[in-house]
Amino acid sequence: MRAQSSATAPSPIAVGDADPAVGDPGRAVGTRPLGTLQAALGVVAFSLTFPATAWGLEGFGPWSLIAVRSILAAVIAGGCLLAVGVPPRERGRAWGRVRVPERRHWFGLAVVGAGVVLGFPLLTTLALRTSTTAHAAVVVGLLPLTTALLSALRIGSRPSRGFWWAALAGAAAVVAFTVQQSGGALTAADAYLFAALLVCAAGYTEGGRLARVMPGWQVIGWALVLCLPLTVPMAAVALSFEPVHLTAHSVSGLLWVAVGSQFLGLVVWYRGMAAIGIPKASQLQLAQPLLTLVWSVLLLGEHLTVAAPLTAAAVLVCIAVTQRARG
């Protein structure tokens, strides 16, 4: 967790003062490398999600895994919301010691909760029951392009033509690679994966927008707390029907998806999006499927073909182009 002075100070820019899709023009240029680093750390955290989920499924049912991971992340987030103080100028209506979001922000928080707290984890976990992590990574390959598209529709961002060509090329390279890795076959899990793609992109877009007016960790923190009335009953029902077998893999997988993917990863991700803009941050995720495949080899023993370094080089070129492109 970052120091209190930086983690708790919300952006003074109102929603209408800057386009959250392209970053804050009032921020110092020197903050952009930090924002890129934060978004990249989020991508690394997310790249471990599928292998960790596969581990978690060794000991938990899909519904139990999703409910318990969300509750654990909400407990951590709620503790942070209670523990962190509010600067004097921001004191007012607060929950614990953190200011309660304004009413106009609750819809966005609900979208974040539905997309990244419940929807994407649940749909991808259901898919991973019958799909390999390599095949599931195709949804992550398409996620940057989908996020940029929803950002353009939601908040009127207008990335340059070069940005879109680079994004399409990177997405095509990742899709071709992941489909080749999975043998080119489409499974019943694809319906879950494409639905997960849409709900996660919506959650990222709303989360990036909200991170312009409140600290990124509070965005995901409030979304997690907001989902507790759903996740607690869900856990109670799921644990009563789905058997649980605690092993080193299942517990480690559960802890990572709860703490690393569901909370800490989203904290740095939303901070990064707020600093450099939603479209450019989303393109860093072009590297996520390749990182996931590396973790799959190291942690799950899946086979990796020689196409990986070639695809990695193509994706890195696309990322460099999108980071330089101006909307």
Side-chain angles (χ1 to χ4, degrees), residues 2 57 102 126 207 283:
R2 295 181 61 83
L57 286 172
E102 298 178 18
L126 292 173
Q283 299 316 301

Side-chain angles (χ1 to χ4, degrees), residues 224-246:
L224 285 163
V225 171
L226 186 64
C227 289
L228 278 175
L230 295 176
T231 55
V232 170
M234 177 179 168
V237 173
L239 289 171
S240 66
F241 285 96
E242 294 179 338
V244 174
H245 304 288
L246 298 181

